[in-house]
């Protein structure tokens, strides 16, 4: 049994202090329609929360286009180019996380491919695979046509492009790849929401929930429904990146 009371309490404190809590949902690695994508879509519809799908441009199938464009709760983003690890041996996986020749060309053709597929439905946000990106590339994203960048964790306030990150991940990537300890996720979320109450530095960025529909088991699906419902019921407002990315 998950104890939601700490989350409910911090949301009550936010309401008492008139602190808004915008939340957004990003889901990574979409390439084609699947039963898992259907389940994601149904959850988004049930909760009336937009799910922002980070689509891998090089592997995106044409069949994915109507699955997203005909669904009012699914919004496509750009997820790197081919989700291919280009990091030197011994370094953490990344496609754009280390300096390399032609990186900006890959980012540019990724945007072009996604615009061709999804047209006006596309939100021009760059989501680097493994949430890692070289600082030199960040400075070139805006001139390549992107309106925002999204990774994981605290954002930088010194970039030349809008950054809207994700902050909550329910998957235990370094272990069994199932649901991480739910109490830890709730504790981390409470800490972030209390920081939002105390410091304006954290209050201006939406709180981001990150999922990967292709690897979810039932506990991850159930927890995702639970935490997103609790946030909504506690006064959080669901937002779409269309309101942030111009």
């Amino acid at each position: 049994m998950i104890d939601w009371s700490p989350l409910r309490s911090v949301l009550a404190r936010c309401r008492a202090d008139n602190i808004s809590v915008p939340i957004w949902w990003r889901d990574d690695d979409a390439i084609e329609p699947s039963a898992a994508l259907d389940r994601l879509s149904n959850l988004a519809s049930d909760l009336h929360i937009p799910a922002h799908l980070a689509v891998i441009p090089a592997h995106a199938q044409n069949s994915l286009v109507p699955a997203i464009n005909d669904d009012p709760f699914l919004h496509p983003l750009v997820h790197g180019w081919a989700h291919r690890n280009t990091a030197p041996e011994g370094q953490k996986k990344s496609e754009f996380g280390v300096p390399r020749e032609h990186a900006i060309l890959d980012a540019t053709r990724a945007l072009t491919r996604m615009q061709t597929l999804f047209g006006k439905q596309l939100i021009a946000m760059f989501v680097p695979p493994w949430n890692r990106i070289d600082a030199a590339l960040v400075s070139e994203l805006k001139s390549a046509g992107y309106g925002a960048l999204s990774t994981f964790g605290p954002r930088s306030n010194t970039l030349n492009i809008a950054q809207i990150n994700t902050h909550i991940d329910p998957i235990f990537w370094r272990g069994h790849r199932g649901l991480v300890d739910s109490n830890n996720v709730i504790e981390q979320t409470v800490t972030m929401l209390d920081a939002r109450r105390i410091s304006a530095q954290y209050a201006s960025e939406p709180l981001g929930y990150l999922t990967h529909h292709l690897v979810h088991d039932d506990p991850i699906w159930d927890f995702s429904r639970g935490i997103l419902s609790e946030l909504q019921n506690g006064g959080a407002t669901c937002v779409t990146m269309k309101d942030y990315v111009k």
Side-chain angles (χ1 to χ4, degrees):
M1 180 70 70
I2 297 176
D3 180 10
W4 297 108
S5 59
L7 181 58
R8 293 170 183 170
S9 295
V10 73
L11 288 167
R13 294 195 291 274
C14 288
R15 293 195 305 273
D17 293 343
N18 292 316
I19 301 297
S20 63
V21 182
I23 60 172
W24 77 292
W25 181 9
R26 195 186 96 203
D27 185 277
D28 289 0
D29 300 344
I31 57 173
E32 62 186 352
S34 64
L37 184 60
D38 288 343
R39 189 164 182 178
L40 181 87
S41 171
N42 289 336
L43 180 57
S45 177
D46 288 348
L47 299 178
H48 284 259
I49 297 180
H52 298 77
L53 283 179
V55 178
I56 304 172
H59 304 307
Q61 303 298 304
N62 290 336
S63 56
L64 184 62
V65 176
I68 291 180
N69 284 359
D70 294 343
D71 190 320
F73 291 100
L74 299 182
H75 302 278
L77 313 175
V78 182
H79 197 24
W81 167 241
H83 209 300
R84 176 174 54 93
N85 181 25
T86 63
E89 186 175 353
Q91 294 193 23
K92 292 181 177 179
K93 289 182 178 181
S94 68
E95 184 175 27
F96 293 92
V98 295
R100 65 176 176 87
E101 192 177 7
H102 305 312
I104 189 59
L105 295 179
D106 281 348
T108 301
R109 66 173 173 167
L111 181 59
T112 299
R113 162 89 168 135
M114 291 288 284
Q115 288 171 331
T116 299
L117 286 173
F118 297 101
K120 293 181 179 180
Q121 289 294 103
L122 179 70
I123 299 173
M125 171 180 277
F126 189 72
V127 181
W130 295 285
N131 291 298
R132 299 186 181 104
I133 186 167
D134 175 44
L137 180 60
V138 173
S139 66
E140 298 185 78
L141 288 176
K142 195 168 185 179
S143 61
Y146 288 96
L149 166 70
S150 180
T151 60
F152 186 86
R155 67 177 173 179
S156 170
N157 292 316
T158 61
L159 305 183
N160 70 336
I161 192 169
Q163 185 175 22
I164 303 115
N165 283 354
T166 52
H167 310 89
I168 307 166
D169 187 339
I171 300 177
F172 188 17
W173 292 106
R174 297 183 181 180
H176 49 65
R177 298 171 72 89
L179 179 65
V180 74
D181 187 313
S182 58
N183 291 325
N184 288 344
V185 179
I186 293 170
E187 181 181 352
Q188 292 166 6
T189 305
V190 168
T191 298
M192 287 185 283
L193 289 175
D194 266 330
R196 179 178 293 269
R197 289 193 313 112
I198 296 168
S199 172
Q201 174 184 351
Y202 301 100
S204 60
E205 182 183 16
L207 185 68
Y209 187 66
L210 175 61
T211 57
H212 290 73
H213 66 280
L214 292 173
V215 301
H216 287 191
D217 57 16
D218 285 341
I220 294 172
W221 284 116
D222 292 342
F223 180 82
S224 296
R225 178 182 290 274
I227 192 169
L228 291 170
S229 297
E230 290 288 341
L231 287 165
Q232 277 188 300
N233 294 338
T237 303
C238 304
V239 298
T240 171
M241 290 301 99
K242 287 184 176 180
D243 295 331
Y244 289 81
V245 181
K246 306 301 181 185

